[in-house]
Structure formats: structure tokens, C-alpha cells
């Protein structure tokens, strides 16, 4: 048996400064889909994902939560892993940059680059915020001030190590322009890198810091920690065992076949990362793919702070993991941003999954049960009119391989679903319900249903990397055993047994009532209402209310009650005459603030004594937490006016 060909694919390592959201899902689902397809095709796949856990932001977040940075990231990493498990992500390895073996490798890489002269010591100059102990670049400042606390910043410098990125400019340009290598996709990003970064002149890169602690220590210079680049980007090789003993897979899997990421970090992967590898004398990854962002209504980047996060856990639970995977892969056109809305997802689900695919499977299986008791006869009359559907299906495997391998999932899926739509039309053209009425046409009926079943089989094989949970159910319903559901078998016509037996199962994609679901999701996303601190009282009858005499009163005088820090003593005009009333509001009002005011009052409460003084009635007020106000009317309301 020949050795399987290795295939190495990576997601970026995510920054766990907050919990994962749908914005993190696309790169990971895309990689998972490619990894699953390559495994089906017989490759020895290594699919890596992980988390980039160092840095000042995490150090600060942890401090705010009263935790160590490691405790903080442990909690978030658990949530990332939970999400990947929910979404059916079949990663082979998960790297955390806080793992010991990674730390060991990064220290060795840093030392190696220092020893070979690619890293040198100099001074990092920037804008410094003293209270935040943070350096900022000019472009990070907000109105010239610290983006974190808004205070003034000052010019400052600290001793730091630099990587000679500038030296690699010509080689990087050559790499990016090499048509043969086709290193960076989409092509539009190549010009962006060259025009925006290489042509203006690449600067050397500051690769260490002394102003914070949460990072990998530079082991030959105390106080310095490795800053971002060498720590994060190296994960792709340390995870294989480069300069560590934890793994022994570097020779087998490196160079990576595909690094996949969102567009904002393409620069790090197509300039900094290749330069680091060149300096180390190691081979470069074969391909870098930068996809667009999932965006929301306003076209802005997916962001947690806008409160419009669509929860992937909720979507998966309510509509199926595979539906979410399908939707994201079908909608995202590689290289472009993809607007996301639940409504759009439901429309796509209803049209493609419920109407086209789900219907094709259930109609075909139901007809075989109805007309043949579930098992097709061996004798079938195929004819030339079958050719269009069959040859359309023949084209799929190569096209899907090509498009999925280059992250053009939407094109591949579109073509699969055009074939599924063609199969539905084939039913209408052949009218099995008419054929079934004529005993002489049983052979033709069997051929039509068999062609449908086999088209479903071939399409479902190609859809398995996208919908890994549902496709096995489809295979079960159409009676396709493992031998005919391999990637190879998708290339073969009529691989199903001639006397195949189907088995009706559950409805695979129940239709979504879009209006109803949108309303329910909306209700779920609304913040829980904060209830008033006073619970609601029991219902009373109108007479109880009518028995209270509520009036507007004018405050004639108001003074503090001696020896009480709570009580104010009022003389008010209630329209009939003057009365004395006490109120415990001295904390909120100075007496002189209230003189002359027209307030609301209950005037027929039985008199009460407080601090030896009689109170006749009660001034109306409202309290909301710390806030307190008397109920007040305008000057034009006469004393004695009735309140109802
Ligand atoms: Zn600050």
C-alpha cells in the first residue's frame, strides 16, 4: 500500500479576549470542510486550530476579572472548544500558545534569529500612556489620546528587539508575484500587499516588549517578552514539533498546504510569516487564503459591541448545525464580505434544503415504497432522456474538488444544487405516477426512480464535507452502504445495488416559518427586563382607590425637624385651609427648594405622630433605586385640585 499524501491545513489561532461568536466560525467551518473532503479523498490530513493567548489585552481583562491571565484564558478556551464541538469541527490538533512545548520552541526560534543576526536590539519609540503602562502607535490613538483611558500620551521609548523585516522586501515581492506559486489568494490582496506595504518601504518589526508581563520570556534577556509575531505565527510549526519534543510531525506535514484566515490578518501571513521562515531557512507555506468578513446590516465588521451578535449555539440548536454550515459556505463568495441575516439564512434553508434537497429525497423514497414496496426491481429500462441528468452529475466531483479546495464553496454548492433542481425537474418530466398505472412501464418507472436515487447518492457524497451530520441520514434513507458513499464512488454512475432497498426516515429539513422564527429570535435577543424593586400589589377594587382623597397642595412653608436627619415639616394649602404634614425626604431636598411648589398629596389619611409632631396626610413621591422625586405639578394648578 502506498503512503497517503499529507495535507496540512490551518485556521488562524484566535485571540481569546472574549467569548467566540459567529465571526469566528467562517474560517473554521471552511477549513473543516476542506479537511473533511481531503480525508475522503485519501489524504493524510492534519487540521490545526488554536488560540493566541498572550498579550496586554488579556493581561488587563484578567486583572479586571480578578483572575490570573491563564485562569482567564482557560475559561474562554473551553468555550471555543465547546463551539467547535457544537459545529462538528474535526480538527486534529488544538494549539494554545501557553502550552509548554510552544513556549520552548518560541524561545529557541527567537534565540536562533538573534544568533543569526535577524533579530537585533534597539529602542522602540511610541506614544506612552503612563496610567495604562501602554505603548500606542500614532494610528491607534483616538483624538491623539490613549484609546483605553482617554488620557494624554507622551513620547517615550523602551529597549526592544527588532526583526529585520525590511531586508526581505525584494524576496517577498518576488514571492507574491510568482504566478507559478500562486501564493496569496484572492489575487486582489497581492496588489494590496505590494502597493500598501512593500512599495512604501517595509519597516523592521518590534518583536519584544518590556512594558507588560503576559508573554513568553526572552530567555537570554530578563524583562523582555516576545511580542505577538514570533509567538503567534510560529504556532503553525511548533504544533508539528518544530524545535520541541512534544510532536514529531514537522518533516511530514510542513510546508502547510493552506493557511486560511480573514482578510485583516493576511498581511501578517503573507509578509511577516514568510520572512520569519526565510530567516529560519525553512520552507514557505504553499498557499495563503484571505477571505472576507461576515457583516451585519450596516455593512460594518462583525463586532460584539454592537449587540447584533447572532449566537451560533442558538442557531445550531434550533435549525441544525449542518444548516448553519451550509448557509455560511453557500453565501460567502470567496474574497468578498458576506452580509449575514437570519432572514436570509431561513430563505436559503427553505429553498435549497427543505424544498430542493429534502423534497427530492423524501419524494424519491416515498415513490419507491409506494410503487415497489421499498425495493427496486433489477430489470430497468434506461433511455437517452436520462443522459442530461446523469452527465450533469458526472461533472460534479471534479468541479467540487476544485472549488472547495480553493475556498470557492458557493460555486461548488451552487452547481450541486442546480443538479438537485434538475433531478426534481426530471421527476416532473417522467411523471412516475403515470408510469405506475401501466404494468408495461414498470421497467421504465424503476429506471427513473433508480436514476433519482443515484443522483441523490452522488450529490450527498459531495455535500458530506459541508453537512457531515445529515448526509449519513440521507445514505441510510436511500439504502447506500459505505462502499458506495466514498469520494471515489461519487464519480461512478449507478453504483447503488440494482435491487436497492430504501428506508423512509424523518423529515430532514422541516420548513421554517420565517415570520414566527424571526419574532422568537428577536424576543430571545432582547435583554431581560429589569423589574421594579417593589413587587406588584394585589388587584384591588375601585372603591378602595376612590376612598383616597388625592389633591394638589401648595407648600406654604417647609423646615427641618430638629434632631431628625430624615424629616421635613410642611405647612401646605390643600384648597380648604392649611394643614401640617411631615415627610421623610430631608436626604433628598433642602427645605427652601420646596417652598412654593405644587405637590401631590393624600390628604385624608388618619393623623400620625412623628418625633412628637402630628402629620396629616402624605406627600406623594417616586423612588427608583437611588433616585427620588416628589410628585410635582406646575404653578398653574390650584391648591385643592383633584388627582385621579
Ligand atoms: Zn491610558
Amino acid at each position: 500500500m502506498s503512503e497517503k499524501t499529507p495535507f496540512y491545513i490551518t485556521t488562524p489561532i484566535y485571540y481569546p479576549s472574549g467569548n467566540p461568536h459567529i465571526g469566528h466560525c467562517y474560517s473554521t467551518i471552511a477549513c473543516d470542510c476542506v479537511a473533511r473532503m481531503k480525508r475522503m479523498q485519501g489524504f493524510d490530513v492534519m487540521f490545526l486550530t488554536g488560540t493566541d493567548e498572550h498579550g496586554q489585552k488579556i493581561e488587563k481583562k484578567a486583572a479586571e476579572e480578578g483572575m490570573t491571565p491563564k485562569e482567564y484564558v482557560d475559561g474562554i478556551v473551553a468555550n471555543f472548544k465547546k463551539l467547535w464541538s457544537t459545529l462538528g469541527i474535526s480538527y486534529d490538533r488544538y494549539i494554545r500558545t501557553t502550552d509548554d512545548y510552544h513556549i520552548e520552541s518560541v524561545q529557541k526560534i527567537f534565540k536562533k534569529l538573534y544568533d543569526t543576526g535577524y533579530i537585533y536590539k534597539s529602542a522602540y519609540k511610541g506614544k506612552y500612556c503612563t496610567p495604562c503602562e501602554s505603548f500606542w502607535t500614532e494610528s491607534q490613538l483616538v483624538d491623539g489620546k490613549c484609546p483605553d483611558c482617554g488620557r494624554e500620551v507622551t513620547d517615550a521609548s523602551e529597549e526592544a528587539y527588532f526583526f529585520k523585516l525590511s531586508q526581505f522586501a525584494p524576496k517577498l515581492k518576488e514571492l507574491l508575484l510568482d504566478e507559478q506559486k500562486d501564493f496569496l489568494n484572492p489575487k486582489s490582496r497581492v496588489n494590496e500587499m505590494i502597493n500598501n506595504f512593500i512599495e512604501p518601504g517595509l519597516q523592521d518589526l518590534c518583536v519584544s516588549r518590556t512594558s507588560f508581563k503576559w508573554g513568553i520570556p526572552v530567555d537570554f534577556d530578563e524583562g523582555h517578552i516576545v511580542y505577538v509575531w514570533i509567538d503567534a505565527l510560529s504556532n503553525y510549526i511548533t504544533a508539528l514539533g518544530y524545535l520541541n519534543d512534544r510532536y514529531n510531525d514537522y518533516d511530514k506535514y510542513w510546508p502547510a498546504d493552506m493557511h486560511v484566515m480573514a482578510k485583516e490578518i493576511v498581511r501578517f501571513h503573507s509578509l511577516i510569516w514568510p520572512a520569519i521562515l526565510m530567516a529560519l531557512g525553512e520552507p514557505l507555506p504553499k498557499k495563503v487564503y484571505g477571505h472576507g468578513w461576515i457583516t451585519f446590516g450596516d455593512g460594518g465588521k462583525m463586532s460584539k459591541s454592537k449587540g447584533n451578535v447572532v449566537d451560533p449555539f442558538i442557531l445550531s440548536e434550533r435549525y441544525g448545525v449542518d444548516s448553519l454550515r451550509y448557509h455560511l459556505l453557500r453565501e460567502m463568495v470567496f474574497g468578498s464580505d458576506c452580509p449575514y441575516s437570519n432572514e436570509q439564512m431561513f430563505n436559503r434553508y427553505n429553498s435549497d434544503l427543505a424544498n430542493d434537497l429534502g423534497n427530492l429525497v423524501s419524494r424519491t423514497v416515498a415513490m419507491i415504497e409506494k410503487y415497489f414496496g421499498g425495493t427496486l426491481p433489477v430489470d430497468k429500462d434506461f433511455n437517452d432522456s436520462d443522459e442530461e441528468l446523469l452527465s450533469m452529475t458526472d461533472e460534479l466531483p471534479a468541479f467540487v474538488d476544485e472549488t472547495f479546495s480553493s475556498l470557492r464553496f458557493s460555486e461548488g454548492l451552487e452547481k450541486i444544487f442546480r443538479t438537485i433542481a434538475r433531478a426534481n425537474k426530471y421527476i416532473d418530466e417522467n411523471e412516475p405516477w403515470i408510469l405506475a398505472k401501466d404494468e408495461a412501464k414498470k421497467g421504465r418507472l424503476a429506471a427513473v426512480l433508480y436514476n433519482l436515487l443515484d443522483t441523490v447518492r452522488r450529490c450527498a457524497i459531495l455535500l458530506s464535507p459541508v453537512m457531515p451530520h445529515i448526509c449519513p441520514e440521507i445514505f441510510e434513507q436511500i439504502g447506500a452502504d459505505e462502499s458506495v458513499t466514498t469520494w471515489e464512488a461519487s464519480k461512478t454512475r449507478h453504483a447503488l445495488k440494482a435491487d436497492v432497498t430504501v428506508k423512509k426516515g424523518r423529515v430532514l429539513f422541516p420548513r421554517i416559518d420565517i415570520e414566527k422564527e424571526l419574532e422568537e429570535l428577536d424576543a430571545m435577543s432582547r435583554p431581560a427586563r429589569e423589574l421594579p424593586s417593589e413587587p406588584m400589589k394585589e388587584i384591588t377594587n375601585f372603591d378602595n382607590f376612590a376612598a383616597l382623597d388625592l389633591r394638589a397642595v401648595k407648600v406654604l412653608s417647609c423646615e427641618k425637624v430638629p434632631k431628625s436627619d430624615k424629616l421635613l415639616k410642611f405647612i401646605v394649602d390643600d384648597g380648604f385651609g392649611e394643614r401640617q404634614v411631615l415627610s421623610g425626604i430631608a436626604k433628598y431636598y433642602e427645605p427652601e427648594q420646596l417652598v412654593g411648589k405644587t405637590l401631590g398629596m393624600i390628604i385624608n389619611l388618619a393623623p400620625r405622630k412623628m418625633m412628637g409632631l402630628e402629620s396629616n396626610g402624605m406627600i406623594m413621591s417616586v423612588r427608583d433605586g437611588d433616585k427620588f422625586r416628589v410628585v410635582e405639578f406646575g404653578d398653574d394648578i390650584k391648591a385643592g385640585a383633584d388627582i385621579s
Side-chain angles (χ1 to χ4, degrees), residues 341-358:
S341 81
N342 286 323
E343 185 173 1
Q344 192 186 34
M345 164 160 155
F346 297 157
N347 281 320
R348 175 66 75 188
Y349 171 101
N350 278 347
S351 71
D352 292 6
L353 301 181
N355 278 5
D356 289 353
L357 176 59

Side-chain angles (χ1 to χ4, degrees), residues 129-132 136 146-151:
C129 174
T130 311
C132 294
W136 304 105
C146 170
D148 263 13
C149 71
R151 291 190 180 92

Side-chain angles (χ1 to χ4, degrees), residues 360-374 449 477 502 504:
L360 177 62
V361 175
S362 66
R363 282 168 93 188
T364 306
V365 169
M367 286 190 287
I368 293 171
E369 294 205 323
K370 185 172 174 192
Y371 303 135
F372 295 106
L449 295 176
Q477 294 199 18
V502 299
K504 199 169 174 5

Side-chain angles (χ1 to χ4, degrees), residues 103-113 243-244:
I103 292 171
E104 180 194 338
S105 289
V106 167
Q107 289 178 328
K108 288 181 183 165
I109 290 169
F110 201 93
K111 183 71 166 45
K112 188 171 173 181
L113 293 173
L243 299 184
N244 69 65

Side-chain angles (χ1 to χ4, degrees), residues 532-537:
S533 50
E534 289 292 315
M536 202 185 280
K537 289 175 185 162

